[in-house]
Amino acid sequence: MTRRSLELSKLGPSTAELDLAPTLSPWSSILDPKYGGAILIGAQVGHPTLRGKFINTSRLCRLDTEGAWARTSTRWYRLGDRANQQELGSILYGRVGLADALMLTPSEVQAYIKADQVSAGLSDA
């Protein structure tokens, strides 16, 4: 997790940054099964380096409360529709049980982001 991305996330994206950002739709926030913390998974359009339809992002630094955008440790994302249970299972290649185990609520996402901010010295506990 980069401190710079956490700092950028506090400011929010500019219109120009969002215009250039890849889009995830449908998407969901999940617990990163390898490293912990919150990440996004979803169907992407416009990612500059990833070509697959379904991707997972780097660690979340901020998730817009309206669900319109997100900042990860590497870039901004525009967000479309949230994935429902069936779509999330498809994104995880049919593993609905895994989807249930990994899916995060908005408050859980915010708790992971807050912990990262505290760890980086950008917020008090």
Side-chain angles (χ1 to χ4, degrees):
M1 170 84 52
T2 65
R3 182 181 174 93
R4 180 177 178 276
S5 290
L6 285 166
E7 290 170 341
L8 285 171
S9 72
K10 287 189 170 202
L11 299 174
S14 68
T15 302
E17 288 169 323
L18 276 184
D19 287 345
L20 296 172
T23 300
L24 287 177
S25 186
W27 64 274
S28 184
S29 51
I30 67 166
L31 176 64
D32 183 337
K34 189 169 185 177
Y35 300 107
I39 62 172
L40 298 176
I41 59 171
Q44 69 89 15
V45 173
H47 196 285
T49 59
L50 299 176
R51 298 292 170 229
K53 179 177 180 180
F54 296 115
I55 66 166
N56 62 274
T57 68
S58 55
R59 198 159 176 145
L60 270 171
C61 295
R62 185 163 172 202
L63 182 60
D64 175 46
T65 57
E66 301 297 317
W69 55 264
R71 175 68 195 193
T72 68
S73 61
T74 57
R75 72 184 68 257
W76 297 104
Y77 284 90
R78 286 179 290 168
L79 301 176
D81 296 327
R82 286 184 189 254
N84 62 37
Q85 191 69 15
Q86 183 177 8
E87 290 168 325
L88 184 56
S90 294
I91 293 168
L92 294 171
Y93 304 104
R95 295 182 238 161
V96 176
L98 181 59
D100 290 337
L102 297 176
M103 192 182 317
L104 296 174
T105 66
S107 61
E108 290 171 325
V109 170
Q110 296 307 323
Y112 280 111
I113 292 170
K114 176 72 172 178
D116 288 338
Q117 291 170 341
V118 169
S119 178
L122 297 172
S123 180
D124 294 329

